[in-house]
Amino acid sequence: MPDRTLVPAVPATCSPSRAARELGLRRAEFDLAVHLGRIRTVPDEGGGTGRGVERAEIERLRARYGFPSSLREHVRVVGTAQGAALMRIAEGRFTRLARLGLLVPVRFHLNRYRAVVWLYLAEELEQFATGAENARLLKGRTPETLRAQLATGVDLRARNWRGRHFGFLLRQTGGPWPRAAAVAAFLAPAEVADVVRDPRERAVLERLRPAPPAHGAPGSSFAHLAEHLMTSQDSDEIGWLRSELAQATREARAQSPAARPPAPLPEPAERAPAERDGSGRPVPGMSGGAARGGPARELRAAARAAIAAPPDPAALRRARAAGREASRPTRGLRAWLHRANSGSAPRTPRYRVRNRPSCTTETSSRPRTS
């Protein structure tokens, strides 16, 4: 019989973690490569919200010249100090160029002092430094128009990052409602409610709303700061996003209207109050929901008659006396005093105490033994 070797089937797509390992990237570098469009992803085969990487895409990247160092160089990020050294300018000039919007950050993180640390692509900084049109910005005095903007406190780093992240979310959307939710992710809830008046549509947008980049545990100060950076602040930016949201909602409404919520369940019928006796206590088994006739009516009549019948005074006295006797203690000091007061003879102790000298001392005489 010939030997048969079972070869497991290779899946057509890989999870992001596996794809990052096969491409020699850290998970943060892989996510940034997807963000920049360097790695193409596809929707999850299982129908979930995640995305995967096709095997053919991994083979295409691995076949490129200089892999994996070339791919890693495309996603290398630097901070302010490293970026200034890379461009051969002072850190102050680098920060001013970034505040003016000439250098666009690609990521950010929060340090332990809750300060925002912006990160930039090293590849883009090198291209900016080598551009002939930017030579006057890297050396010499900053132009007067730019210095006037800096004097007013302009800082476009967060806005430029939002614009970059907005493009990334739009590339990942797969339908009209996810696209509208991506636009709504950059607006405050009050702005979304003002543009989208239908609560059903707002519920759909809230369900599909992409979360801000993960920074800290949900509800922490880090998470609140990340959400603040993702929310538009400038009036012109808010106006543009409102118009985009209105247009995206109209397109989504025309293609697939939002589903109506399920009809509320009927409320259960209220039970009638239970019948009570003269003291206000409910009669057992006599609820208002019982049948109005037959044996139930006879039972209620018998219960009312038993409650309304006057009790026997002699029976009540006997019951109270029996209750007092049952509540008295049968042992202890109170029982002994009760027997002494009632004239009963005290019990004779089993052993009598004899007045004899001690048998354990040397000066005392021992008792005689017969």
Side-chain angles (χ1 to χ4, degrees):
M1 183 176 179
D3 296 337
R4 294 182 179 179
T5 304
L6 298 179
V7 179
V10 179
T13 59
C14 298
S15 63
S17 300
R18 183 179 179 85
R21 290 195 302 267
E22 294 193 9
L23 294 174
L25 299 175
R26 296 191 297 268
R27 183 56 190 269
E29 294 176 339
F30 175 84
D31 293 339
L32 181 57
V34 174
H35 185 126
L36 299 174
R38 298 285 181 179
I39 301 176
R40 294 191 292 262
T41 59
V42 294
D44 188 8
E45 293 180 349
T49 58
R51 301 182 69 86
V53 182
E54 292 182 342
R55 178 66 57 179
E57 177 68 10
I58 296 177
E59 297 300 331
R60 181 186 69 85
L61 294 172
R62 298 181 65 175
R64 284 190 169 185
Y65 176 76
F67 176 85
S69 59
S70 59
L71 179 60
R72 192 178 297 115
E73 185 64 23
H74 288 314
V75 295
R76 185 168 69 95
V77 294
V78 294
T80 300
Q82 295 176 338
L86 186 63
M87 299 177 64
R88 298 181 181 181
I89 59 177
E91 295 185 16
R93 184 182 290 269
F94 183 94
T95 302
R96 290 193 295 270
L97 293 177
R99 289 177 53 189
L100 290 169
L102 300 175
L103 304 178
V104 181
V106 69
R107 287 176 55 189
F108 72 91
H109 67 84
L110 308 179
N111 59 14
R112 58 179 178 175
Y113 303 107
R114 300 181 183 178
V116 181
V117 179
W118 297 104
L119 301 176
Y120 307 84
L121 280 176
E123 186 179 29
E124 292 183 354
L125 297 182
E126 292 176 351
Q127 293 176 359
F128 186 90
T130 56
E133 65 278 7
N134 302 323
R136 61 185 183 90
L137 300 175
L138 302 179
K139 295 180 181 180
R141 187 177 179 85
T142 305
E144 184 66 26
T145 56
L146 299 182
R147 284 192 285 113
Q149 295 180 19
L150 292 172
T152 59
V154 64
D155 191 350
L156 300 178
R157 288 175 291 184
R159 178 169 180 172
N160 287 341
W161 173 83
R162 285 193 296 268
R164 192 167 217 162
H165 194 63
F166 177 70
F168 163 69
L169 293 179
L170 291 184
R171 288 194 301 269
Q172 299 296 314
T173 56
W177 284 110
R179 178 183 175 84
V183 180
F186 295 90
L187 287 172
E191 300 288 345
V192 176
D194 190 28
V195 176
V196 184
R197 300 298 181 90
D198 192 343
R200 298 171 300 168
E201 296 178 348
R202 290 201 303 270
V204 173
L205 295 178
E206 183 65 25
R207 179 170 54 87
L208 300 175
R209 181 189 183 101
H215 289 279
S220 63
S221 58
F222 295 90
H224 287 308
L225 183 55
E227 186 176 358
H228 173 74
L229 291 176
M230 194 167 178
T231 305
S232 301
Q233 306 295 332
D234 301 333
S235 58
D236 56 340
E237 183 184 7
I238 293 175
W240 180 79
L241 287 173
R242 284 172 59 98
S243 62
E244 287 291 322
L245 178 60
Q247 179 65 24
T249 306
R250 285 194 297 268
E251 295 176 358
R253 191 184 301 121
Q255 295 187 21
S256 56
R260 292 184 176 273
L265 297 177
E267 297 183 0
E270 297 183 359
R271 297 181 58 185
E275 300 193 14
R276 301 177 180 273
D277 56 12
S279 61
R281 292 175 297 182
V283 181
M286 297 292 108
S287 62
R292 299 295 181 182
R297 177 177 295 179
E298 297 177 0
L299 290 174
R300 286 195 297 271
R304 293 194 188 95
I307 294 173
D312 186 7
L316 289 177
R317 286 195 297 270
R318 287 194 299 271
R320 293 194 187 99
R324 284 195 298 269
E325 291 294 335
S327 62
R328 289 172 181 170
T330 57
R331 293 163 45 179
L333 180 61
R334 293 181 60 187
W336 183 83
L337 292 175
H338 176 71
R339 289 194 297 270
N341 294 334
S342 60
S344 59
R347 295 178 59 186
T348 303
R350 179 178 297 181
Y351 303 101
R352 296 178 179 274
V353 181
R354 298 182 179 182
N355 188 13
R356 292 182 177 182
S358 174
C359 300
T360 58
T361 60
E362 296 179 356
T363 57
S364 62
S365 59
R366 297 182 179 278
R368 297 179 181 180
T369 58
S370 55

